[in-house]
Amino acid sequence: MLRLLLLGGALGVAAEQAAPLAFTMLQLTRVYMGNSMFRGNASLNGQLSHLLEEDNITQVLPLEPPEAWAQRQEVVITYLRTFRQLVQLFNKERPTKFTQHLCCHLGCRLYPNGTAQSFYEVTLNRTAFLSFHVPNATWERRWPGELPVATFAQEQLMKYPITTQDLQYFLNTTCVSILQQAQSARTGKVSGRSRTPLVLGLVLGSLVLLGMALGIFLCTGGSC
């Protein structure tokens, strides 16, 4: 029995060591008759690091110095306000009386052998909508069947470096560096504080939503 307990403990430790580190972000946007509501969060290895509620975004973990965080916080708030204003403008041009739910889920994983995996997935009304193919920095449609909105949004997102090359850099480099910092802390290696713009992911997320809003409000009830 003792041997079994020791073996079980050893297997548990090995499994914990083999589990990848993860940094993930979730952003939810609800649009209804010109009104926009925002919710979201980010977590570092399962621990809440950032929280988004309406126009307020907070840093739960002290991952960035107060001065740097205050600047990035203002950037996110500005983008969210811009998104809300554009939704209101689109609604005046082409009113809609139904609710749209947009969800962005992005992040990266770092495995013990040093390899990393990044992802960015988008759903519309709880159905797979778009995904970002990180190696090629390209957006791919996931909607089952033909949907003009998906095609339009994909074309819009592919036009701008901030939603292609910049997003690829964030997922492959910035996001992974966050996990490398966490890995160094776990192993006890000395490492400087990461000053990478963690909130950049949320900024990119709002820009992606902005691109999809163009598609949704310009295509709904008409032709793209």
Side-chain angles (χ1 to χ4, degrees):
M1 179 63 71
L2 180 59
R3 290 181 178 179
L4 289 175
L5 291 174
L6 291 174
L7 178 60
L11 290 175
V13 172
E16 182 178 355
Q17 291 176 346
L21 295 174
F23 184 69
T24 59
M25 295 182 180
L26 182 68
Q27 183 174 344
L28 306 172
T29 299
R30 178 178 178 269
V31 179
Y32 176 68
M33 296 184 66
N35 298 312
S36 306
M37 298 179 62
F38 306 106
R39 290 189 299 115
N41 62 72
S43 61
L44 177 60
N45 206 34
Q47 186 175 2
L48 184 67
S49 61
H50 298 82
L51 187 62
L52 172 65
E53 288 287 347
E54 291 301 322
D55 290 334
N56 185 36
I57 179 171
T58 56
Q59 180 179 231
V60 180
L61 294 179
L63 299 178
E64 290 189 291
E67 299 81 8
W69 169 248
Q71 295 177 2
R72 308 194 197 289
Q73 186 180 38
E74 184 60 31
V75 169
V76 173
I77 292 174
T78 299
Y79 275 111
L80 293 177
R81 286 175 180 169
T82 302
F83 178 87
R84 180 173 279 120
Q85 291 169 358
L86 283 174
V87 167
Q88 292 172 349
L89 177 62
F90 296 154
N91 189 68
K92 289 180 180 179
E93 295 292 331
R94 188 170 295 175
T96 57
K97 296 183 179 180
F98 51 88
T99 303
Q100 299 280 13
H101 294 273
L102 293 169
C103 174
C104 290
H105 183 218
L106 65 150
C108 59
R109 302 180 184 91
L110 179 64
Y111 295 88
N113 62 4
T115 60
Q117 180 185 28
S118 302
F119 64 93
Y120 199 127
E121 301 166 346
V122 182
T123 62
L124 172 62
N125 297 331
R126 299 178 179 85
T127 301
F129 186 60
L130 296 172
S131 66
F132 186 67
H133 189 255
V134 181
N136 297 332
T138 57
W139 285 95
E140 300 176 348
R141 296 189 302 274
R142 296 300 183 190
W143 190 269
E146 296 295 327
L147 184 69
V149 173
T151 301
F152 185 88
Q154 179 194 33
E155 293 173 350
Q156 291 298 310
L157 293 174
M158 287 299 300
K159 287 183 178 180
Y160 308 105
I162 196 167
T163 51
T164 52
Q165 287 92 348
D166 291 358
L167 181 56
Q168 181 190 49
Y169 181 85
F170 172 79
L171 292 171
N172 275 344
T173 305
T174 307
C175 186
V176 175
S177 70
I178 296 168
L179 297 179
Q180 289 171 340
Q181 291 284 335
Q183 189 178 62
S184 297
R186 171 181 285 187
T187 57
K189 295 180 180 179
V190 178
S191 177
R193 177 183 290 272
S194 172
R195 294 179 180 268
T196 53
L198 307 183
V199 77
L200 176 62
L202 290 173
V203 173
L204 291 172
S206 61
L207 286 174
V208 171
L209 287 173
L210 190 61
M212 284 185 291
L214 287 170
I216 291 168
F217 284 92
L218 293 179
C219 293
T220 300
S223 59
C224 298

